[in-house]
């Protein structure tokens, strides 16, 4: 299995600012994903981040609001830009592990509150 | 568009009881079905993964089944314990390894 570290674990931010969340994996992985979990709701996929290519965003999510970097096979960042209170959520990264095929492992998440 | 539904939304049982959590999905063309556990304030822990060609998977006291034709999966927990208390999420896998999650079942096992 993969060990995934997310930083920060939580943060309180002011409206209009930006926060960058880091996701570090202890092994090289091809596919990494970023999810959002709004209060009381389930997880929604924001984007898929593959090394060496632009992130692929799901419907309703745009690069200007959620820019993603994937500089190598063990690291990715998600930035939440120009934040508003509606961005208050838990943000989670996940990785796809190849054995068993397609199983996904998740980080502990970043709990973001926007005032 | 794939939609995943979990029933019940919440469940409270006494310790030792066997229980079944239900998951249904609208598009049967899934790649796999994965069950997760989420503890309060924590991330997700993968419990079981069923490939689309499989019917069930077992791990300890957990057994998950998959019926693609009817769009259903169940998670069976045997001899429940207070430590099983958590929110259980099912997720349908689609192309590109993307997951569509259900809303979850919040389970409380009372001592």
């Amino acid at each position: 299995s993969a060990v995934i570290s997310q930083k920060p674990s939580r943060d309180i931010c002011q409206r209009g600012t930006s926060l960058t969340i880091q996701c570090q994996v202890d092994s090289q992985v091809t596919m990494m994903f970023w999810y959002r979990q709004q209060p009381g709701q389930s997880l929604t996929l924001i984007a898929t981040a593959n090394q060496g290519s632009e992130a692929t965003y799901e419907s309703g999510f745009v690069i200007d609001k959620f820019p993603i970097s994937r500089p190598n096979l063990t690291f990715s960042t998600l930035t939440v830009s120009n934040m508003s209170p509606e961005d208050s959520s838990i943000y989670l990264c996940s990785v796809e592990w190849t054995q068993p095929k397609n199983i996904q492992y998740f980080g502990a998440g970043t709990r973001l509150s926007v005032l | 568009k794939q939609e995943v539904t979990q029933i019940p939304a919440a469940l409270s049982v006494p310790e030792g009881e066997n229980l079944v959590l239900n998951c249904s999905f609208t598009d049967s063309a899934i790649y796999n079905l994965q069950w997760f556990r989420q503890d309060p304030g924590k991330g997700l822990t993968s419990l079981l993964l069923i490939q689309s060609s499989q019917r069930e998977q077992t791990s300890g006291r957990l057994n998950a089944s998959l019926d693609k034709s009817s769009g259903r999966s169940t998670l069976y927990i045997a001899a429940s314990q207070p430590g099983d208390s958590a929110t259980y999420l099912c997720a349908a896998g689609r192309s590109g390894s993307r997951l569509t999650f259900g809303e979850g079942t919040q389970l409380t096992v009372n001592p």
Side-chain angles (χ1 to χ4, degrees):
Chain A
S1 65
V3 177
I4 303 167
S5 302
Q6 264 188 253
K7 293 181 181 180
S9 58
R10 60 177 61 227
D11 207 342
I12 301 173
C13 300
Q14 296 296 320
R15 181 195 301 258
T17 63
S18 298
L19 176 71
T20 295
I21 303 168
Q22 299 179 3
C23 182
Q24 178 77 51
V25 189
D26 67 342
S27 303
Q28 294 185 340
V29 293
T30 301
M31 303 192 75
M32 296 181 74
F33 307 87
W34 287 98
Y35 288 84
R36 179 176 73 181
Q37 187 174 28
Q38 294 178 299
Q41 298 188 28
S42 192
L43 282 75
T44 301
L45 180 64
I46 297 172
T48 303
N50 292 334
Q51 194 266 338
S53 63
E54 294 289 326
T56 302
Y57 289 82
E58 297 296 301
S59 176
F61 298 96
V62 295
I63 188 171
D64 289 346
K65 176 66 175 177
F66 298 102
I68 288 171
S69 76
R70 181 78 199 274
N72 56 53
L73 292 174
T74 63
F75 188 77
S76 178
T77 66
L78 169 75
T79 299
V80 186
S81 303
N82 188 25
M83 288 184 285
S84 66
E86 292 70 35
D87 294 319
S88 298
S89 297
I90 300 174
Y91 293 86
L92 301 102
C93 70
S94 74
V95 303
E96 183 188 48
W97 202 244
T98 55
Q99 291 294 335
K101 188 177 179 183
N102 300 126
I103 196 168
Q104 286 196 20
Y105 294 101
F106 281 76
T110 296
R111 187 177 297 269
L112 171 63
S113 297
V114 183
L115 304 178
Chain B
K1 176 185 176 185
Q2 178 74 274
E3 293 184 2
V4 179
T5 304
Q6 291 186 247
I7 295 174
L11 182 63
S12 181
V13 300
E15 181 177 4
E17 195 162 294
N18 301 326
L19 56 98
V20 175
L21 307 181
N22 296 292
C23 172
S24 62
F25 44 93
T26 56
D27 186 351
S28 62
I30 62 171
Y31 284 62
N32 52 54
L33 195 293
Q34 197 164 351
W35 283 91
F36 294 90
R37 166 186 175 138
Q38 186 174 32
D39 293 282
K42 302 282 184 65
L44 275 65
T45 300
S46 178
L47 298 174
L48 289 165
L49 169 72
I50 311 175
Q51 301 289 1
S52 61
S53 59
Q54 297 175 321
R55 298 283 297 193
E56 66 176 350
Q57 283 287 321
T58 298
S59 176
R61 293 183 293 108
L62 305 180
N63 175 275
S65 67
L66 174 63
D67 185 344
K68 282 182 57 178
S69 61
S70 66
R72 294 180 182 178
S73 176
T74 61
L75 179 66
Y76 175 82
I77 302 177
S80 58
Q81 304 171 358
D84 295 329
S85 298
T87 297
Y88 290 80
L89 297 163
C90 71
R94 49 192 170 112
S95 65
S97 299
R98 296 170 294 172
L99 297 178
T100 301
F101 280 84
E103 297 282 336
T105 293
Q106 186 172 354
L107 173 65
T108 302
V109 181
N110 301 301

